[in-house]
Amino acid sequence: MFTESRFTMIVGAGPTGLTLARQLSRHGVPYRIVERSERPFDGSRGKGLQPRTLEVLDDLGLIDRFLAAGGDYPSLRAHVPGGHHDFRLDELHEPTPSVPWPNLWMVPQWRTSELLAEGIPVEFGVGVTELEQEEGGVRVTLSTGEVVRARYVVGADGGRSTVRRALAVEFEGETHEEERLMIADVRLTGLDRDHWHVWPGSERGSFRLGLCPLPGGDWFQLTAPPTDLSPGQLVASVDPSITVTEVGWRSEFRANIRMASRFRVGDVFLAGDAAHVHSPAGGQGLNTGIQDAYNLGWKIATGDERVLDTYEEERLPVAADVLGISTRLHRGHVEGSADAMRRDDPVLRQLSLNYRGGTLAAEHRSEPGAVRAGDRAPDSPLAEGRVFDLLRGPHATLLAFGWAGPLPEFTVPVHHLQDPAGSAARAYDIDGPALVVVRPDNYIGCVTRDPADVAAYLKLSAIP
């Protein structure tokens, strides 16, 4: 059977594909999302949500659900001969006016997917077997035998992506077969849930076993070097008073650190693990995938070729930088660095990632401040509400700082900020009157003092 439509085909229903589905849905873009697995993923795997991802979830209207489902990372308790000592990967940070969620938030990946999937019509047990690019679309053959013609295809189907292979896009990087890690979800008795428990190994920087309590239930995530012991035997070998009562999801991670050489080929895009795979060190992979989708969704909605080209322009360098960070942390573990466990580098929070100098970053000030076009749009309290309240939703937004005169009619919401305390001006480092266009993905697109620049930017970015 062959059907033709103007929909977007999303291949893969992990956090990346589900985020994209939500983005397209609120932009009114028709889509189908297929997942070759027969059922939703049920493991804890990527359990850390970075502050920038929490801001994405706020914009999607999901933040309260995720805050209720998760919790702060607990302090680590290292069990050593004769006792233990406690420490943190990173100190807990207090919220600020511009950063409402400053800390890494723990939510098991199965729960993240479950929350993102609510209301999304995922077709489970359906994979893609062939792709053929045609004029104005992509011919897609599904594992069910159905053949469809989609306007766009997005491969969010993981590190072994069928879509990426069909495009013959190189997946550059390295796989270290000797560097492996066992991960499992376990229930157990005899251990408190107030700490992330670690039993160090005999060599500096190594470990025998980690047990991290997962929020929202009584599961722990077990991590350990490869072993012939079962999870129960392994736990008993470090402390016989602890008993494993159930083993759920289980997997073995190998150090596979790679990135696609291209994120767009014609009308097909790559996102998430299909575009870049990371070490789990630093909690960057899942978060980067969600933000790939957040960037791509509104651009697909424009249908504008110049705008769609900026997906690769913006996200490929970001993925390369993030891959470098997670690889550096991974090497620290492998080499036994004294500070291998530290996670206090502010870059990990992904709030400083930016698209400065890109096609969709129009900075018209001769002397811009610390915050400029291409940067994340900060939050701030206002006389009523907050800046994030104004940005929430699929639209772009024009923020007018200290603007006394009239403005032309624009096609986006315009807000003359009531900022008597000057908090928003400080957050955006604005001195004097200014017009700030915030893109649908809540990055600053244009900063100017001339309304004509705003009109030109909205035309350039194809924002309706």
Side-chain angles (χ1 to χ4, degrees), residues 120-460:
I120 302 299
V122 178
E123 300 175 43
F124 287 103
V126 180
V128 168
T129 58
E130 293 182 31
L131 292 178
E132 182 181 349
Q133 303 238 28
E134 301 176 336
E135 182 68 27
V138 185
R139 186 183 177 97
V140 183
T141 303
L142 301 176
S143 58
T144 58
E146 183 183 5
V147 180
V148 299
R149 189 173 190 273
R151 180 63 189 91
Y152 301 108
V153 172
V154 180
D157 51 340
R160 299 178 180 178
S161 170
T162 300
V163 173
R164 187 188 64 245
R165 292 176 179 178
L167 296 174
V169 170
E170 293 185 20
F171 208 33
E172 300 170 349
E174 298 178 330
T175 299
H176 300 274
E177 295 289 351
E178 73 283 4
E179 297 172 11
R180 292 176 176 263
L181 184 71
M182 180 178 74
I183 307 176
D185 295 341
V186 299
R187 284 190 168 111
L188 49 81
T189 60
L191 190 66
D192 75 79
R193 296 183 59 82
D194 298 325
H195 303 88
W196 183 341
H197 299 270
V198 178
W199 285 263
S202 57
E203 298 181 7
R204 179 181 176 183
S206 66
F207 78 107
R208 292 175 62 193
L209 175 66
L211 289 169
C212 180
L214 297 168
D218 55 358
W219 291 92
F220 284 76
Q221 185 186 73
L222 179 153
T223 52
T227 175
D228 292 332
L229 300 177
S230 69
Q233 292 170 329
L234 177 61
V235 170
S237 73
V238 300
D239 188 340
S241 69
I242 305 171
T243 301
V244 172
T245 59
E246 185 178 352
V247 179
W249 169 78
R250 181 175 178 177
S251 184
E252 186 172 85
F253 160 80
R254 61 176 182 168
N256 195 23
I257 300 167
R258 296 179 178 274
M259 192 175 81
S261 58
R262 301 178 65 183
F263 284 14
R264 181 186 187 188
V265 179
D267 292 323
V268 183
F269 303 84
L270 299 173
D273 285 356
H276 42 79
V277 291
H278 306 245
S279 161
Q284 300 294 289
L286 179 148
N287 293 272
T288 304
I290 285 177
Q291 291 167 61
D292 288 344
Y294 190 53
N295 179 289
L296 180 58
W298 74 271
K299 295 175 179 180
I300 287 178
T302 70
D304 186 281
E305 286 299 308
R306 297 170 304 166
V307 174
L308 287 166
D309 278 341
T310 68
Y311 170 67
E312 178 175 292
E313 174 193 309
E314 293 181 344
R315 295 306 298 171
L316 192 150
V318 165
D321 288 346
V322 170
L323 196 63
I325 294 166
S326 58
T327 301
R328 171 174 56 81
L329 293 172
H330 174 77
R331 299 317 311 169
H333 280 288
V334 172
E335 295 164 6
S337 300
D339 60 350
M341 295 296 290
R342 293 297 298 174
R343 297 293 182 268
D344 51 3
D345 186 341
V347 173
L348 296 175
R349 298 192 284 168
Q350 300 196 340
L351 297 171
S352 59
L353 299 178
N354 66 81
Y355 308 132
R356 290 182 181 184
T359 301
L360 299 183
E363 177 58 69
H364 292 280
R365 295 170 295 177
S366 58
E367 296 182 2
V371 179
R372 59 191 67 179
D375 290 354
R376 155 196 173 264
D379 195 14
S380 173
L382 301 169
E384 294 185 9
R386 307 185 62 86
V387 169
F388 277 6
D389 295 335
L390 306 179
L391 304 183
R392 193 175 298 111
H395 53 78
T397 307
L398 177 61
L399 304 177
F401 288 81
W403 199 269
L407 285 170
E409 281 196 20
F410 294 115
T411 57
V412 299
V414 179
H415 298 280
H416 293 263
L417 298 188
Q418 302 302 309
D419 184 32
S423 175
R426 286 191 296 274
Y428 283 73
D429 200 16
I430 296 291
D431 182 16
L435 301 173
V436 177
V437 179
V438 180
R439 303 175 354 175
D441 59 355
N442 292 355
Y443 276 83
I444 298 171
C446 174
V447 187
T448 183
R449 293 185 175 92
D450 185 347
D453 292 332
V454 173
Y457 182 80
L458 295 178
K459 182 178 180 181
L460 168 71

Side-chain angles (χ1 to χ4, degrees), residues 37-55:
S37 299
E38 295 290 338
R39 60 187 62 84
F41 177 71
D42 60 358
S44 63
R45 190 162 54 196
K47 61 184 183 296
L49 300 177
Q50 297 291 350
R52 179 56 185 163
T53 300
L54 295 176
E55 294 180 357

Side-chain angles (χ1 to χ4, degrees), residues 42-125:
D42 60 358
S44 63
R45 190 162 54 196
K47 61 184 183 296
L49 300 177
Q50 297 291 350
R52 179 56 185 163
T53 300
L54 295 176
E55 294 180 357
V56 172
L57 296 171
D58 173 60
D59 184 51
L60 292 174
L62 296 172
I63 188 62
D64 290 342
R65 304 290 305 278
F66 275 88
L67 293 180
D72 286 316
Y73 272 60
S75 61
L76 270 77
R77 171 160 289 181
H79 295 263
V80 295
H84 61 259
H85 68 271
D86 298 345
F87 61 99
R88 298 197 67 87
L89 296 175
D90 185 15
E91 301 307 314
L92 293 176
H93 306 275
E94 291 296 322
T96 67
S98 62
V99 182
W101 304 287
N103 297 302
L104 184 64
W105 193 247
M106 187 191 296
V107 181
Q109 184 171 328
W110 71 265
R111 183 62 172 144
T112 291
S113 293
E114 184 178 72
L115 291 173
L116 287 171
E118 290 182 358
I120 302 299
V122 178
E123 300 175 43
F124 287 103

